[in-house]
Amino acid sequence: MKTVVGIINLQESNALLRELAATRAVEALPFAGRYRVVDFSLSNMINSGVNSVGLMLPDYSRAVLDHIRSGKDWDLARRRDGLTYLPAALPGTDSRKGDLKDIYANLDFAELSDKKYVLFVNSSFVYNIDFQKVLDFHKANDADITMIYNVLDEDKEGNCVTIETSTNGVVTDLAESNGAKKGQKSVMSAYLMPVPTFAYIVRSTYERGGQDFLLDGIIRHAGEHKISAYEHKGYVARINSTAEYYKANRDCLKPEVWEELFMQKDNPISTKVKDAVPVQYKEAAQVKNSLIANGCIVHGRVENSILFRGVTVGKGAVIKDSILMQRCEIQDGARVENVIADKNVIITKNRWIKGSENFPFIVTKNARV
Amino acid sequence: MRKTECLGMILAGGQGSRLKALTKTVAKPAVPFGGKYRIIDFPLSNCVNSGITKVGVLTQYKPFELHNYLGAGSAWDLDRIDGGVFILPPYAREKGADWYRGTADAIYQNLNFIDLTDPDYVLILSGDHIYTMDYSWMLEAHKQNNADITIGVFEVPWEEAPRFGIMVTDKETGRITEFQEKPKDPKSNLASMGIYIFSKPFLKKYLEEDGVNENSTHDFGNDLIPKMLADGARLFSYAFDGYWKDVGTIESLWQANMDLLQENPPFELNGDWKIYSSNPSMPPHYIGPDGEVKKSMVTEGAQIFGTVEQSVIFSGVKIGKGAKVTNSVVLPFTKIEDGAVVDHAILAQDVVIKAGAKVEGKEGEIAVIAEGDVVG
């Protein structure tokens, strides 16, 4: 993998994420108790031996910059290679939408590197993968482009790019649609290709008025390239709506998903270190089927929930089927059900809040209820 | 190297033989504590939080894991351009090599390092105590008293005083008038915490004299402090009234872990005075549908399907269905299989307690299972 340069695209659309993504990029969304979504892309790269990583910054970049800083927590603060921030194209120079103008503006990063291949990933996916296997597959198939996909285990909403493949893994059809059905092959927005191929696609598409890397760059010109498809058989979640976000978090309550994503000895998911103390469970604590991050203090009841760092659960408080982000405070006797509470939310004494299973109630950052 | 106001020196070479099975492969300061820490995290974090950013760590006994843990010091924010952690094992000189023959000799052998960092004051610490303390106040007192040496003291119950090095002081000024090493008839109940601030020229002078004295045991308590007192030097005490625990024995290590589980822990765990440690990449811990956890501390990467009460659980520990862990300390990656029972025990790393097996100690006789052992 020393021949591969990674680019992580943080310019995902986040319209469906409602309040959660109002002031932060999807990739900076807190996930599974202590992570941010971008941790998966970064960790997958470093675990696979990709040591040179460019990060295409989103419009709201403060949360991402504050999280990643030098890249040290992912072992990306290096003298040689390491992390490079790729800022968006200057506003005003180009009024086009889409991510292509920003890739074009940063094309030097890939072209001037000494690497042979580009691994270009969109970072709103949660999965644990060894990209070395993708590179081996790419070479074995003698492909121009290799894309990573998974077979959907249920129907999905929102924009999906699905593919059809021949028996030898070559992509025969590629289309974007609104929603996809169970059993379809869904592209995970991760592509591997030689640097010149990447540069050619970006340059020729951009210079002909293209806007979107996947739609205009790849789908429209699919016929020109030999595209092969690599199936990722493990767990995959795409964080593109509040419902998916809620579901993916709760999937981590399944021990097999928790172990696959986080407990692989050689493929750990790294994140910013915070030095929080272990969780303190008090006399009357009752906790079932939950993920609890360090720094929490639990006096009350927690079921089927995910508590991020530094959450306090007061005496007699009940938390069910909820996600509580960093430093939320649930005071004595309060009751919270089907709720996603953003950072620093305070639920005062004896309040009850309830959302529904497929439409969780979202409490915005720093709110006091 | 830039001039330093106060240099920290942590004595971390002790074997900790009274910790038995727990120090089979690591030095005492590297013994895990409190769910995610190692003992040395406390003096190191205290240094950093007190503004002391040059710290020598003197190692000797089985140092590999400790060296590996310290690394470049980045976990404590000590990977500094000018300063940080300096690992100081014994080394060879022109005329052969010596082990560190005592606490004073360890510092003596590193006088050239001390000269290199050029400090005004040297803070000497032990690597086997659990406490949070702001050394900058002690340094301030040292300066105000115009002291040659300031010794941290801690009030112990009178009946325990015979176990400690006791400082007899002038009540008004805090000046030390007499030192009693483990006295039968203590004249004071102020025990030495093994924390010393020296003015550097004074320290150097005494170490150079002691280093060539063949009758000396090269120990601060035994040899240097009595000599300084006899010479009429300015020795002052600095009283500390927070939580302080020597965790040199199995019982005291167990007790210190249990102390963290009190309704109000003895020192602020979540406050601004952070204890830093090397953090592994581990997910939040998972408690299963039938799990039950009370009065306990549990850290990242643990999986609990059974019952845990009054216990400290480290990262990557797995506790199976129907298993019961009470009054115990379970170190990283130990597996307690379904239905097993663990009570009043310290289980070291990578231990396996087989399904249905029992490990039961009692207060005063804590059971200890050594690293990698399989029970049942």
Side-chain angles (χ1 to χ4, degrees), chain A residues 92-109:
Chain A
T93 54
D94 190 335
S95 58
R96 277 186 242 180
K97 288 186 174 146
D99 57 8
L100 195 65
K101 65 177 189 301
D102 301 316
I103 304 173
Y104 180 80
N106 287 297
L107 203 47
D108 275 1
F109 170 68

Side-chain angles (χ1 to χ4, degrees), chain A residues 31-35 72-73 252-256 258-259 262-263 268-271 273-297 299 306-310 315, chain B residues 34-37 74-75 77 79 260-265 269-270 274-303 305 309 313 316 318 333:
Chain A
F31 184 77
R34 76 172 284 202
Y35 302 94
K72 185 166 154 185
D73 291 329
C252 295
L253 294 176
K254 298 173 189 157
E256 65 279 10
W258 185 86
E259 282 188 20
F262 304 116
M263 295 301 275
I269 304 300
S270 301
T271 188
V273 165
K274 290 270 177 67
D275 288 292
V277 292
V279 179
Q280 299 167 65
Y281 290 101
K282 302 296 185 181
E283 179 90 51
Q286 269 184 295
V287 183
K288 307 234 176 282
N289 192 36
S290 295
L291 278 180
I292 318 280
N294 276 3
C296 292
I297 299 177
H299 291 275
I306 291 151
L307 270 50
F308 284 73
R309 291 193 255 223
K315 288 181 182 138
Chain B
K36 68 178 279 193
Y37 307 102
S74 62
D77 225 357
D79 52 339
L260 296 175
L261 306 179
Q262 295 166 7
E263 188 65 21
N264 296 305
L269 287 164
N270 285 309
K274 271 195 177 177
I275 302 303
Y276 300 97
S277 71
S278 184
N279 286 261
S281 301
M282 288 275 175
H285 65 262
Y286 175 69
I287 297 185
D290 307 315
E292 218 174 291
V293 185
K294 281 187 201 315
K295 291 192 282 181
S296 294
M297 266 176 111
V298 183
T299 199
E300 290 158 343
Q303 272 178 300
F305 297 96
E309 209 175 318
I313 308 296
K318 189 168 181 177
F333 295 101

Side-chain angles (χ1 to χ4, degrees), chain B residues 20-76:
Chain B
K20 300 175 212 163
L22 297 179
T23 49
K24 211 168 67 177
T25 55
V26 298
K28 181 156 64 168
V31 169
F33 174 82
K36 68 178 279 193
Y37 307 102
R38 294 186 190 241
I39 296 169
I40 198 167
D41 288 334
F42 287 81
L44 273 178
S45 301
N46 286 342
C47 279
V48 173
N49 289 335
S50 305
I52 295 167
T53 53
K54 265 183 216 171
V55 184
V57 180
L58 296 98
T59 64
Q60 175 157 285
Y61 172 79
K62 296 205 173 161
F64 315 113
E65 198 166 319
L66 185 55
H67 290 179
N68 184 32
Y69 182 69
L70 293 170
S74 62
W76 303 270

